[in-house]
Amino acid sequence: AERVRGLAGGVASLVSLGQAPPGPFNVPIGPNRRFSMAEVPVSDAKSIKNSLGGTVNDVILASVAGAVRRLLRRRRGPIRGLTLRALMPVSIRDESQRMALGNRVSVFFVDLPVGERDPVRRLRAISRATVTLKSSQQAVAATALINSARWAPPTLHGLAARLLARQRLVNLVVSNVPGPQVPPFLDGARLLVAYPVMPLGPTTALSAAVTSLSGTMGFGFTGDWDALPDIDDLARDLLDEVESLRKAAGA
């Protein structure tokens, strides 16, 4: 009974966020996908956050938000004051669990100020938001839902999944998974970069994922075939946004 109450509380907490703003990526998806990729040195992200504040995660979120802004401008869509909500998986492993096996993951829901023109103000707004989220109970509620997979019957999971899908809690997914910073090799060949592929939700047509490997962040954009015909432009826009932040940081 305690665990059922925990699951119900987690769902209630997430639903209390309210619907995400209407966005161009909240459409029913089809069976086909498009994919694009980009590479950014980890050192660039660290230089930006050291100069302008925030974390590497904040730099990633700000860069993705800026790239989406550029894409929507080309589409001539409304962007003034636009905010899109991103679901961002985060590790909740502390230092004592660093080498332990298995995953300890929760999620944050971060509002991205896509309508903000200035990349530095955008980064600082996201940084303030993530600091607030880290001190909230949002991740705790989400963790209750994730951990429920160990015991909850399939019917409960189905109800929760349908509820969250219908509520349109997010507009897109942004995920950052650090990889090994020691160069890995296979039969003498060095693995240079990894481009992650993220799944899409039933009404979430865009996912952006990042994997850092040996000093290089590999960005992978996965989109619904019909909703993201311009996904290649999104990867180029991301590089332009990182460059804008890098110049502002004097890096």
Side-chain angles (χ1 to χ4, degrees):
E2 232 175 79
R3 289 173 174 175
V4 170
R5 283 197 296 271
L7 177 61
V11 172
S13 174
L14 295 177
V15 171
S16 70
L17 291 170
Q19 286 196 334
F25 311 124
N26 293 113
V27 295
I29 63 171
N32 302 313
R33 302 287 179 266
R34 297 181 191 267
F35 183 76
S36 66
M37 49 198 173
E39 299 171 23
V40 175
V42 173
S43 57
D44 281 2
K46 289 184 176 179
S47 296
I48 291 167
K49 65 102 174 172
N50 289 341
S51 176
L52 302 177
T55 65
V56 169
N57 267 349
D58 297 335
V59 173
I60 289 170
L61 288 168
S63 300
V64 171
V68 169
R69 173 186 169 84
R70 290 172 184 256
L71 181 141
L72 296 182
R73 284 191 64 189
R74 275 194 305 277
R75 290 184 177 185
R76 302 188 183 279
I79 57 174
R80 181 186 291 273
L82 177 64
T83 297
L84 296 180
R85 184 178 297 158
L87 181 151
M88 188 168 201
V90 293
S91 172
I92 55 172
R93 190 186 302 277
D94 59 30
E95 285 300 315
S96 67
Q97 302 162 328
R98 191 169 185 179
M99 301 304 293
L101 298 177
N103 295 320
R104 289 185 57 79
V105 178
S106 189
V107 294
F108 281 147
F109 295 87
V110 187
D111 290 336
L112 306 179
V114 173
E116 174 56 65
R117 295 177 56 186
D118 185 273
V120 176
R121 285 202 293 263
R122 189 187 310 122
L123 170 61
R124 287 174 176 163
I126 288 171
S127 180
R128 289 192 297 271
T130 57
V131 167
T132 300
L133 286 172
K134 287 171 185 175
S135 63
S136 74
Q137 296 300 307
Q138 188 187 102
V140 174
T143 302
L145 282 175
I146 292 169
N147 288 342
S148 70
R150 300 174 185 172
W151 57 267
T155 303
L156 263 181
H157 282 298
L159 287 171
R162 285 193 293 274
L163 176 61
L164 295 178
R166 290 172 183 169
Q167 287 294 318
R168 198 185 71 222
L169 287 175
V170 300
N171 303 113
L172 71 160
V173 177
V174 183
S175 176
N176 174 29
V177 180
Q181 298 308 301
V182 177
F185 289 81
L186 178 62
D187 195 24
R190 179 180 173 181
L191 180 60
L192 299 177
V193 62
Y195 305 104
V197 179
M198 282 284 290
L200 304 179
T203 57
T204 307
L206 175 63
S207 291
V210 187
T211 296
S212 59
L213 182 71
S214 303
T216 300
M217 295 191 300
F219 284 76
F221 294 96
T222 306
D224 175 73
W225 182 269
D226 296 316
L228 270 300
D230 44 2
I231 199 167
D232 287 334
D233 295 332
L234 190 59
R236 288 189 287 268
D237 291 336
L238 177 102
L239 296 177
D240 291 339
E241 280 299 316
V242 173
E243 180 63 16
S244 295
L245 285 169
R246 196 178 67 80
K247 287 181 178 177

